[in-house]
Amino acid sequence: EVLKVAMALLIWSHGVQVGHGVGLAVRTGATMSVIAPARESSVPSLVPREQLLSAVSLNRVAQFVLFLLTPAAAGVGSEVIGIGGIYFVSGLINVVVVFFTWKLPGMPPDKARAEASWWGDLVGGLSFVASHRIVLRLMILSLVPMVFAFPYQTLLPIFADRVLHIGVSGYGLLMGATGVGSVGGMIVL
């Protein structure tokens, strides 16, 4: 989230260049390819097994609601604090979320989990992926769209401003449309 704050500073100083946006977009996509599965896999460690279905459902609904509301808030907010301000607030909100997530109490770990370390888990996960070709291919397959498709959100403000000439409000509508499409697709599925 330091990069979002750095992007805000570049925008405010009028030093932002296309390469900065592309770099942030690629970093965002690569990060999301790791964060999204980690976020989903953390739910079982926060709730008892009998409440897992409700917790997973609530987590997905919250993500889709945020996907719908965030663009509208960014569109309105950017009229007041500018695009640089939106990047700064986004970075700050993510830092606050990480802090409160870190403070969440988890379910008591079983004995095997209590003895595990994050480094051991990381090494074990990487060696599992490396030793199973199908899992490696699936990981690469999931990484490609996250790096090359998901970052459109980072580049969309520039596209809305310089290509479509629809301004900040139009940008909010474009982002809201992706949220509506996501919810519509979820309902169809």
Side-chain angles (χ1 to χ4, degrees):
E1 302 324 315
V2 170
L3 291 178
K4 287 184 181 177
V5 173
M7 181 64 89
L9 295 173
L10 284 169
I11 291 170
W12 286 333
S13 69
H14 303 289
V16 70
Q17 308 220 345
V18 173
H20 297 121
V22 171
L24 181 61
V26 168
R27 196 264 334 160
T28 299
T31 302
M32 285 306 295
S33 69
V34 175
I35 289 175
R39 185 181 297 149
E40 295 295 328
S41 67
S42 68
V43 174
S45 67
L46 297 172
V47 298
R49 186 171 180 82
E50 59 273 3
Q51 295 176 350
L52 188 57
L53 181 58
S54 295
V56 169
S57 299
L58 182 61
N59 185 37
R60 297 302 292 166
V61 167
Q63 287 176 6
F64 282 117
V65 167
L66 283 174
F67 204 64
L68 281 170
L69 296 180
T70 302
V76 171
S78 61
E79 292 287 343
V80 176
I81 62 175
I83 296 295
I86 294 299
Y87 273 104
F88 182 78
V89 169
S90 175
L92 184 63
I93 287 171
N94 285 325
V95 168
V96 170
V97 167
V98 167
F99 174 76
F100 282 110
T101 302
W102 177 57
K103 292 290 192 178
L104 279 174
M107 294 297 297
D110 59 16
K111 185 175 174 153
R113 292 293 322 142
E115 295 172 359
S117 71
W118 70 269
W119 181 253
D121 287 347
L122 178 65
V123 170
L126 290 175
S127 60
F128 176 82
V129 168
S131 65
H132 294 81
R133 284 201 172 296
I134 189 73
V135 175
L136 178 62
R137 289 179 183 148
L138 288 171
M139 293 293 287
I140 291 170
L141 189 62
S142 70
L143 178 66
V144 169
M146 292 304 253
V147 171
F148 295 108
F150 181 75
Y152 79 90
Q153 292 177 334
T154 305
L155 299 174
L156 199 56
I158 298 166
F159 190 81
D161 182 48
R162 304 231 171 115
V163 176
L164 297 175
H165 307 289
I166 56 177
V168 175
S169 300
Y171 162 68
L173 289 173
L174 285 174
M175 286 299 292
T178 61
V180 169
S182 295
V183 170
M186 187 173 131
I187 290 169
V188 168
L189 287 175

